Amino acid sequence: MVLGSIQFLMVAHLIQWLWMGTTLSPVEPSEAMSALKDGVVNTGTVLFAVALLSTVVLGRWFCGWGCHVIMLQDLCTWMLGKIGIRPRPFRSRLLLFVPLVLAIYMFLWPVVYRIAIAPYTRPNLAWPGFSSAFIVTDFWATMPGVLMSIPFFLVCGFLTVYLLGSKGYCTYACPYGGFFAPLDEFAIGRIRVTDACEHCGHCTAVCTSNVRVHEEVRDFGMVVDKGCMKCMDCVSACPNDALYFGFGKSAASRTPRTAERPKPREFDLTWTEEIAFATFAVLAFIATRGTYGVSLPLLFSSGVTVCAVFLVWKGWRTLGDENLRLHTFQLRMHGRLRPAGMAMVAVAVLVFAATLYSAGINAIGFVATRSDDRVTIPPQVVFSDNPVQLDPSMAVDAERAIALYRTISTIASGGYGINPVAQNAIDRRIAWLQSSLRRFDEAEATLRRAADRDGLNELVAAGIGRVLRGQRRADDAVRWYESTGAEHPRWFGLQDEYVQWLAEEERGAEAIAAARRALEREPSELFYMRRLSIVLVEKGSDEEVAEGLRLTERTLEIAPDNPFAYRALGVGYGRLGRTEDAERAMRRAAELAPNDWRLRQALGEFLLGSGRDQEGATLIKDATMQREREARP
């Protein structure tokens, strides 16, 4: 009932957001990453903090009573039981550390990076300070799409159970368990036993966490296994009511009840296999968390990783063991390979080969992006009318990145990759690097091939427009923006870039005309109203400035408290000599978006122009410091 209620609340949360447009930020532990990385405290941060603190007292209770994936795994276990399958728990020594490693990667690594590494590699990456975000408008901003949820549930909710045993995902793939399990060691709340226990084994038989309950209470008087999730099934099943949840010594201070040494835990892998398959697990994780290969969300990637490890290990054992089964399938009998065993070996070989291939492609993609990131010349310089040669070291990085990107391109594009979805992004990066090297003809050819192959999209269209500008083919660029904008009137970014380019080139009348045409095509579109109003107040005549002010006020009636609309008002009032109105509008813009350095800088520049040098200089200095903090090398 508790787990079902959690599912109900999740659905209700989603419906409430769809209905009202704003809602509480996702109640999900992974949201706590934002607090450690960027200082943004949200509902997920509070949930995870409470869960961790309570675990120190109550033990690993959150996994058993508060996780929606647990219900999926229990459902799978129940369904398999109905068809006579009771998944045998997979037992590995080293893979037990996967959740802890993932937890460190998710929650501790961002802190270590910012404190110990960033000061030397990214000095501009300063700590932004703490802020809160308990109410959000974009519920899905930090979560994968709906289509990703279906394979996630199938793999992490069902396949992990079938292959690894009940709670298999919790044991070997859940990063939250990486913190809950070690904290459970110090919890004073545990499953304990009275003298009424007859060691009948009912408790172990019903435990879905694969804990040897009857042995642990016999040896220690309590359950000490860190996998115990306090679900109380063992307490309910005990025929003598000998088990109970109570407080006392922690597992860390346990002592054996008898002089006889507890039986050591048995594992399925030899130490040689442990090391080999732990190495393979690293490759499998890289293969599913790549840059330009098949990139999966971390929680999904961890589930796929452990399933891949099991399948390859099972295929390996199929070749060597005398007798081997996988549930109802006899893989090998008396040394002879059965049909199911042949299929198991084939699956293992396929998974192994696919993992190595994908890991290699993703590793090359990672190196390519690192070289790409070092090409830091601004786009406005690359596509300007004043040619600037790339720094020699950047030119080397650009050439290297182009070569590596071509290596991971699809076979049809001359590379070794097989992921057509990533090819469009690869082509755009190659075109950018070619442009930075001022090889605009090659960049244009790259982008047009991408458009011919995949169909024109907004990002490729914008790239072609920039390349035409870089070639000093301004008339061709205008024709491209106009024709493409007319054909795709809701490509807002493309139209915005076009108007801004004309404005920056001091072709104000053309910029205004282009903005008018965009609004005429979509007369109710707020975005185009704002763009026209801004270009009118910045580049228009006095009459056009007045028109821009009226249009800006109209946008504020539709969407009040937009800071950039108030900035446009300030610019327009300033051009008309209405200094007091301009200052009020500029200050209002800065108040609405206090963390936006652009608005603070605009206010500072206005005050400097009005003779208030001290206040204006202070605001510009603060804005400059904030811009440098946000800069990325």
Side-chain angles (χ1 to χ4, degrees), residues 22 167 181 201 260 399 409 557:
T22 60
K167 304 293 197 299
E260 183 179 351
E399 295 285 8
S409 294
E557 292 174 0

Side-chain angles (χ1 to χ4, degrees), residues 227-549:
C228 175
M229 300 180 187
K230 315 300 181 286
C231 67
M232 309 293 282
D233 286 349
C234 58
V235 174
S236 299
C238 181
N240 298 324
D241 292 330
L243 296 176
Y244 68 100
F245 178 86
F247 297 95
K249 286 185 177 181
S250 67
S253 60
R254 63 182 179 267
T255 54
R257 301 178 76 183
T258 63
E260 183 179 351
R261 188 174 182 179
K263 182 180 178 181
R265 188 174 181 179
E266 296 181 357
F267 295 95
D268 295 325
L269 282 71
T270 65
W271 268 110
T272 301
E273 290 176 326
E274 292 279 6
I275 296 171
F277 286 99
T279 303
F280 178 73
V282 174
L283 293 175
F285 186 75
I286 294 173
T288 56
R289 285 286 293 171
T291 305
Y292 283 100
V294 180
S295 185
L296 303 178
L298 188 142
L299 297 181
F300 187 17
S301 180
S302 62
V304 173
T305 294
V306 293
C307 288
V309 169
F310 177 87
L311 290 170
V312 174
W313 169 78
K314 201 69 173 180
W316 165 257
R317 279 294 183 89
T318 302
L319 293 175
D321 286 8
E322 184 74 11
N323 297 287
L324 191 68
R325 295 181 64 87
L326 176 62
H327 304 315
T328 58
F329 299 103
Q330 187 71 46
L331 306 180
R332 197 176 178 96
M333 179 178 289
H334 304 309
R336 295 184 61 183
L337 202 60
R338 306 286 292 176
M342 296 179 186
M344 185 73 253
V345 172
V347 169
V349 170
L350 181 63
V351 170
F352 183 76
T355 299
L356 293 185
Y357 167 81
S358 184
I361 290 293
N362 290 338
I364 295 172
F366 177 82
V367 176
T369 54
R370 298 289 77 76
S371 296
D372 189 349
D373 289 342
R374 288 192 287 271
V375 182
T376 56
I377 184 171
Q380 58 267 34
V381 174
V382 172
F383 301 111
S384 70
D385 290 335
N386 301 315
V388 176
Q389 292 297 323
L390 202 60
D391 179 87
S393 63
M394 287 189 190
V396 172
D397 284 319
E399 295 285 8
R400 180 186 298 115
I402 290 173
L404 293 173
Y405 281 141
R406 284 176 171 160
T407 300
I408 63 175
S409 294
T410 61
I411 296 173
S413 299
Y416 298 96
I418 58 173
N419 182 15
V421 176
Q423 190 59 49
N424 198 275
I426 292 173
D427 286 337
R428 294 199 305 272
R429 295 313 303 168
I430 290 176
W432 154 249
L433 293 165
Q434 290 169 331
S435 298
S436 70
L437 293 166
R438 306 204 66 78
R439 303 199 317 238
F440 293 113
D441 291 344
E442 295 179 28
E444 182 182 358
T446 299
L447 291 170
R448 291 195 183 276
R449 281 196 301 270
D452 291 339
R453 182 190 62 242
D454 304 323
L456 187 66
N457 60 47
E458 185 175 5
L459 294 175
V460 171
I464 292 174
R466 295 185 202 114
V467 168
L468 293 173
R469 287 154 43 194
Q471 292 172 309
R472 301 186 183 182
R473 295 162 55 189
D475 292 341
D476 290 340
V478 168
R479 283 191 290 271
W480 172 258
Y481 282 123
E482 287 288 347
S483 61
T484 308
E487 187 175 352
H488 303 281
R490 298 192 66 80
W491 283 3
F492 304 129
L494 179 70
Q495 188 65 37
D496 191 48
E497 183 172 307
Y498 174 39
V499 173
Q500 287 195 59
W501 168 58
L502 292 174
E504 290 167 0
E505 292 293 312
E506 299 302 328
R507 299 163 64 172
E510 294 179 61
I512 292 172
R516 287 190 190 280
R517 285 191 291 272
L519 183 58
E520 288 170 0
R521 288 191 288 261
E522 296 287 334
S524 62
E525 181 51 56
L526 182 61
F527 180 88
Y528 289 142
M529 291 183 196
R530 287 173 176 163
R531 172 45 60 198
L532 177 57
S533 67
I534 290 172
V535 74
L536 283 170
V537 300
E538 290 181 347
K539 301 296 180 180
S541 63
D542 287 350
E543 290 183 1
E544 289 172 327
V545 170
E547 179 189 356
L549 289 174

